[in-house]
Amino acid sequence: MKAVVQRVSRARVSVQGEVIGAIGAGLLVLLCAERGDTEANADKLLAKLLKLRIFADEAGKMNRSVQDVGGGLLIVSQFTLAADVAGGNRPSFTGAASPEDGRRLYDYAVAQARRLHPQVETGQFAADMQVELLNDGPVTIPMQF
């Protein structure tokens, strides 16, 4: 699985003009399931994500996790993270999981996140979404498991 993780002061996702998920300070997680990914990949990604020390401590050092600071998670599916642009100017998405597998793994990751963390919001799988965020730092970290 691939993810792009952004530390945010706030973030929200809308579908057809209606906000369906929003958080204050926390992490916006753009999540992509790739061919061959399993629940084990999602588990590894979530374990790292929840312990990732990218929030400031009293000294201003990145030394606290989203769990330490009580921040929210906004998890948004984004198959375009599997884009391959090596062959030309039009991205190929053949590396992305099938829609069925992608939905299953996204739903699994969200369910696990909700089991492990008290504040989890989501986008809508396969929808045309508008994502708004105020990146804090900016801190943006790519992850792959």
Side-chain angles (χ1 to χ4, degrees):
M1 294 192 92
K2 283 185 179 178
V4 171
V5 178
Q6 298 184 11
R7 186 180 73 187
V8 298
S9 297
R10 66 178 180 273
R12 69 183 188 172
V13 60
S14 303
V15 174
Q16 296 180 345
E18 180 181 334
V19 175
I20 62 168
I23 61 169
L27 299 176
L28 170 62
V29 182
L30 304 175
L31 185 65
C32 175
E34 297 182 290
R35 293 193 183 278
D37 283 346
T38 66
E39 288 81 358
N41 297 101
D43 289 338
K44 288 177 187 174
L45 189 140
L46 283 169
K48 181 65 77 173
L49 176 71
L50 293 173
K51 302 262 186 249
L52 194 62
R53 298 183 333 181
I54 59 173
F55 291 88
D57 63 13
E58 304 83 27
K61 304 267 187 202
M62 287 199 301
N63 204 26
R64 291 198 172 143
S65 71
V66 69
Q67 290 185 316
D68 294 335
V69 301
L73 293 177
L74 177 56
I75 303 174
V76 177
S77 64
Q78 189 167 359
F79 80 94
T80 60
L81 292 178
D84 179 2
V85 295
N89 294 324
R90 182 174 179 203
S92 169
F93 301 105
T94 58
S98 70
E100 298 79 22
D101 285 341
R103 180 182 301 271
R104 178 179 56 78
L105 289 167
Y106 175 74
D107 289 345
Y108 174 83
V110 168
Q112 290 298 95
R114 286 185 168 142
R115 187 178 67 78
L116 299 169
H117 193 73
Q119 185 188 359
V120 178
E121 297 284 325
T122 67
Q124 180 179 331
F125 188 87
D128 181 11
M129 296 175 279
Q130 290 70 51
V131 179
E132 299 174 58
L133 66 134
L134 182 57
N135 195 320
D136 179 20
V139 175
T140 302
I141 298 177
M143 297 172 63
Q144 185 166 2
F145 289 91

